[in-house]
Amino acid sequence: FSGPPINVQLDGTPGQLAALFAKVSKQWHHLGETEPHWSVLTNDSYFQQNFQMNRNAFYQSGLSELAMFEKTLARARVDRQGLRHCVELGCGVGRVTAALATKFDHVTGIDISAAHLKVAEDHVRAAGIDNIILRKLDSIDSVPALGTFDLLYSRIVLQHNPPPVMARILGDLLAQLNPGGIAYFQVPTYKAGYQFGIEAYLDVQNGTDMEMHYFPQAALLELVAQRGCRVLEIREDDAIGLSVSAISNTLLVQKAG
């Protein structure tokens, strides 16, 4: 890939981070109230007027995600025996959460949107799943309250947060991984022409539309290393669609110890 570097601000003051988080929260609560399933998988089949006839396919896709994750663990020769408590960042309506609960003793699904979490709670209850806890991230400072855990799972989630929010939340979650713990997450790392500055972003009334953001790969790998993790696998993926001008990466990393 021959594109030039992208100019992305990753650090902000506590006030700036809180303002960024509030904008994301507003966007996703609106999406949860209007199109909770389509906002998770942007396919016309999952608009509310079409959802009931496509419900099974929607939740079956969570099992497909789990199968892809398990193959990744197998390629890296990760022993899943010690991975008991899984945290899913951006659990949405519980599509993958329910699938993860079939493999791990305890699953904590966290999300920024109360509206999405309500749909997830209804789905989990209807399915009779009893090893899932759902929690709302109320602020940029909420992650430490989760405590430690063995596994982090997050796909098609971080991309909808401004880069400084990605850096803070992902950094906190990686810091809280237990020794030997695993994180499996996806982040868009490049788009030609993309740039991000906090003040310029906050000056614009972005409304409630879904956004896509990018986190430079070099900075992402540095963040992983700073949190005491090593990369077991990094792959380009199609999580943001196929493009000649953009790149998305899925990483499998392990905490030292």
Side-chain angles (χ1 to χ4, degrees), residues 107-147:
V107 177
T108 300
I110 58 177
D111 205 278
I112 200 171
S113 165
H116 282 87
L117 286 170
K118 177 61 170 63
V119 177
E121 182 179 9
D122 291 344
H123 172 66
V124 167
R125 286 184 176 178
I129 303 171
D130 62 4
N131 62 332
I132 293 175
I133 295 174
L134 300 172
R135 296 181 63 172
K136 183 176 182 293
L137 287 183
D138 290 316
S139 78
I140 194 73
D141 301 314
S142 296
V143 170
L146 295 170

Side-chain angles (χ1 to χ4, degrees), residues 4-5 8 51 70 108 127-128 146 157 172 175 177 194 196-197 212-213 237:
V8 177
F51 181 71
E70 290 194 295
T108 300
L146 295 170
V157 173
D172 283 351
L177 269 179
Y194 176 81
F196 184 88
M212 184 73 73
H213 294 282
D237 58 56

Side-chain angles (χ1 to χ4, degrees), residues 40-42 64-65 68 95 153 155-157 159-160 184-190 212 214 234-244 246-251:
V40 171
L41 286 181
T42 52
S64 298
E65 294 249 0
M68 181 171 62
R95 178 182 68 101
Y153 182 100
R155 289 192 75 252
I156 55 174
V157 173
Q159 62 193 35
H160 300 305
Y184 178 74
F185 57 94
Q186 169 266 331
V187 179
T189 54
Y190 188 85
M212 184 73 73
Y214 301 82
I234 179 169
R235 298 172 68 90
E236 290 189 15
D237 58 56
D238 61 355
I240 60 173
L242 298 176
S243 170
V244 297
I247 296 172
S248 176
N249 291 125
T250 297
L251 289 81

